[in-house]
Amino acid sequence: MNNKVFGITFAAIFASALLFFGVANAGAMAVDTWIFPTEEFGDNTYIGTTDVSNMEHEQAKQLFVGQADTWRATAELLVTYQDATAAYPLDNAEILLDETVGQAQTGTQNTFVFQLSRETTQTFLKQQFPVASFSDTDVENITSKLETALAAGQTQTRVTISDDTLEVARDVVSEAEISHSLKGGDAMAVVNALNGIEFAPGSQFSFLDFISGLELANVTDSELTQIASSIYAAILQTNFSVEERSIGTAAPTAVPLGREAAINRPLGIDFVFTNTNNSTFLLNLSMESDKLTAMISGYPFIYEYETMTSGEEKVEPRLVKQYSAFVTSGVAVEEEGRDGIRINVLRSIRANGEELELDPVSTDFYPPVHRIEIYPLTKTEAAPAAGAATPLPGQPGFIDANGDGVHDGPAATTPLPGQPGFIDANGDGVHDTPVTTTPLPGQPGFTDANGDGIHDTPAATPAAPLPGQPGYIDENDDGVHDEPVADSETDTTQDDPTNPAEEPVYDKGGNLINP
């Protein structure tokens, strides 16, 4: 009985305890769920580059408290206005952790919420970009743009603020003037069409594409070149990039050297450039008398752009000689020729009058036109004047009557150089007639009439005249005349072979002739 009472009592107490703890836990759960709920991120949840998956919100906030100071010390915010970039000070930049964690969505990539000081932004703009007058609205909008750019939480962030939403006043940023010879109505139509055209941010402009939309019949490529050159001269004073630009074959007369932008429609030679800025620019063309002026307007640049030339060099033409049957005498000039020019074009980038960079733009080369002279095919020889014949150089005793470097006749019959006793009557360097007939060395009784080291005693047959040299004979068949026909019809001086006292007689082959 007592055991039964004990069991009942224990069961009642245990049930009461369970009820008490259950009610307590349920109440705590109800408080956490409905009154003070505890939020937790699910899987694949990121804030910036930090993984906060399965973290409670409060835990995530504590994690970023330590990271904010580190980020502020190492992060960089680079702000670009037109052609200049400066680093924004992040000392006062604040990460709003409650807003950052509160707006984060589970299972996605989330961003931070930053807060920048408006006063810091205003001071930064005045110091870094003083050429522009930013309104209060501009400062507010720029601050918001910077905060949004920082939201990704990157170590380095870049943002451009000079878009067309600014209230900054636009001004003429470049101006160029050239001489022109535009007269036709179509040329004026091109100028009027270009006047007031806008170059949108990042847009590319093609001169040929633009004029293709115009109805032009009488405009010349020379006129189009002058118009395009005026625009090019203005473009050189900006930070625009030039993709295509050419020059002509001859140095221009109206356009300054280094500023020409040639247009040739048949060859497809174009002028193409790009507005590299985030804001729109306006082109204006105006004509006054013989001057064509191009102006570009937009937000003012931070830097100044000045174009200059250097190293101008004159290239002289060559002389080209040609020969023609149509020219019978003298010299005909087909092309007078002209000098060529080589010149370097540079662009100086300055800030407050101080040069920061000097960039090469181009090297323009206009080739020379060579002088062409035409001469007769054959040279007319004039008869020498009396007494004009002079001795031939290097051949004393011979004259050059017509100045062609070949002797014409001996001034006098002189001994042959190096062969004493022989003469060179016609100046061909070969002996013609011996002064005396001398015995042949080593062969007593025989003579060497022509000095070739071989005896020349003629055979019994009469010597024939030498072919091609009438009046001279060739006694030894060596093709060289030996003596005149008149003196050697027969050899009357040859010794009698029947006389034993006489020397033996040999034929031309050196064989003994039988007595």
Side-chain angles (χ1 to χ4, degrees):
M1 184 67 180
N2 291 332
N3 290 336
K4 184 177 181 181
V5 173
F6 176 77
I8 293 172
T9 303
F10 178 78
I13 294 173
F14 181 73
S16 298
L18 288 176
L19 179 61
F20 175 78
F21 285 110
V23 172
N25 288 333
M29 183 177 296
V31 170
D32 290 338
T33 303
W34 294 301
I35 300 177
F36 302 108
T38 301
E39 295 181 288
E40 184 177 286
F41 294 115
D43 294 335
N44 300 318
T45 303
Y46 291 84
I47 299 178
T49 59
T50 303
D51 186 358
V52 294
S53 300
N54 304 316
M55 281 188 185
E56 293 182 356
H57 287 197
E58 191 63 30
Q59 182 181 2
K61 284 195 293 184
Q62 294 302 317
L63 175 65
F64 289 120
V65 169
Q67 292 185 354
D69 293 337
T70 302
W71 174 88
R72 193 179 293 108
T74 59
E76 190 176 26
L77 175 59
L78 300 177
V79 180
T80 298
Y81 166 79
Q82 294 291 75
D83 53 341
T85 299
Y88 186 96
L90 295 174
D91 299 340
N92 298 327
E94 183 179 357
I95 302 176
L96 304 180
L97 295 179
D98 289 337
E99 288 81 350
T100 297
V101 174
Q103 72 174 12
Q105 300 294 318
T106 293
T108 62
Q109 181 79 39
N110 299 279
T111 59
F112 292 93
V113 178
F114 281 85
Q115 186 176 55
L116 300 177
S117 168
R118 180 185 174 280
E119 288 73 19
T120 300
T121 301
Q122 190 172 37
T123 302
F124 167 76
L125 295 176
K126 286 183 178 180
Q127 291 178 346
Q128 300 298 329
F129 314 123
V131 296
S133 298
F134 297 95
S135 66
D136 292 341
T137 302
D138 288 337
V139 175
E140 289 288 348
N141 292 337
I142 291 172
T143 301
S144 297
K145 183 179 291 187
L146 298 179
E147 291 172 345
T148 302
L150 290 172
Q154 300 294 323
T155 303
Q156 185 182 85
T157 303
R158 293 180 177 272
V159 59
T160 299
I161 62 173
S162 53
D163 56 32
D164 288 331
T165 62
L166 294 179
E167 296 179 354
V168 174
R170 298 178 184 271
D171 198 1
V172 175
V173 297
S174 70
E175 182 176 352
E177 181 182 87
I178 67 169
S179 300
H180 75 88
S181 58
L182 306 179
K183 297 179 180 179
D186 283 351
M188 296 301 302
V190 174
V191 172
N192 293 333
L194 285 167
N195 185 36
I197 188 174
E198 292 185 343
F199 305 132
S203 65
Q204 187 177 84
F205 177 84
S206 165
F207 193 90
L208 286 183
D209 288 348
F210 179 81
I211 64 173
S212 65
L214 305 176
E215 294 183 1
L216 305 174
N218 299 318
V219 66
T220 66
D221 284 346
S222 175
E223 292 174 322
L224 294 177
T225 294
Q226 295 176 51
I227 298 172
S229 297
S230 68
I231 300 174
Y232 176 62
I235 291 296
L236 287 177
Q237 301 174 37
T238 70
N239 66 341
F240 287 19
S241 65
V242 177
E243 277 69 46
E244 185 176 344
R245 172 253 176 180
S246 303
I247 61 175
T249 57
T253 55
V255 180
L257 289 176
R259 311 297 198 276
E260 183 185 17
I263 299 296
N264 189 314
R265 287 168 293 181
L267 297 179
I269 295 178
D270 198 2
F271 172 48
V272 182
F273 60 88
T274 300
N275 173 15
T276 56
N277 302 279
N278 283 68
S279 59
T280 300
F281 285 83
L282 179 70
L283 171 67
N284 290 110
L285 293 179
S286 61
M287 295 178 59
E288 182 177 351
S289 183
D290 62 342
K291 301 298 182 181
L292 175 62
T293 303
M295 295 183 296
I296 298 178
S297 303
Y299 293 152
F301 290 117
I302 301 300
Y303 302 126
E304 302 166 6
Y305 299 88
E306 180 182 352
T307 308
M308 58 186 66
T309 58
S310 69
E312 183 174 342
E313 176 186 358
K314 182 177 71 173
V315 182
E316 296 183 354
R318 296 199 307 267
L319 173 61
V320 178
K321 292 184 177 181
Q322 297 180 353
Y323 297 86
S324 173
F326 297 102
V327 179
T328 58
S329 64
V331 178
V333 179
E334 183 177 279
E335 173 59 58
E336 289 289 344
R338 65 170 180 267
D339 292 338
I341 298 176
R342 180 183 287 107
I343 190 169
N344 299 319
V345 184
L346 307 170
R347 181 167 64 178
S348 174
I349 303 177
R350 302 172 180 271
N352 299 322
E354 180 181 354
E355 185 174 84
L356 303 179
E357 295 181 33
L358 184 62
D359 297 331
V361 175
S362 66
T363 297
D364 293 354
F365 174 63
Y366 298 94
V369 176
H370 301 307
R371 179 181 176 86
I372 300 176
E373 297 179 353
I374 304 179
Y375 292 80
L377 284 176
T378 57
K379 185 174 182 178
T380 302
E381 297 182 357
T390 58
L392 187 68
Q395 301 189 46
F398 294 91
I399 60 173
D400 181 12
N402 59 1
D404 61 356
V406 179
H407 59 73
D408 300 307
T413 301
T414 58
L416 185 69
Q419 300 189 47
F422 293 90
I423 60 172
D424 183 10
N426 60 0
D428 61 356
V430 180
H431 58 75
D432 300 306
T433 304
V435 177
T436 58
T437 303
T438 58
L440 185 69
Q443 298 188 48
F446 292 89
T447 61
D448 181 11
N450 60 1
D452 60 357
I454 300 176
H455 61 75
D456 302 307
T457 304
T461 57
L466 185 67
Q469 300 190 42
Y472 291 87
I473 60 172
D474 184 15
E475 291 185 327
N476 59 359
D477 256 352
D478 63 354
V480 180
H481 61 75
D482 301 305
E483 60 183 352
V485 174
D487 296 334
S488 57
E489 293 284 350
T490 58
D491 188 2
T492 59
T493 62
Q494 183 171 316
D495 296 330
D496 185 359
T498 61
N499 188 350
E502 297 290 336
E503 292 290 336
V505 178
Y506 295 84
D507 61 16
K508 290 189 295 184
N511 300 313
L512 179 65
I513 300 175
N514 291 328

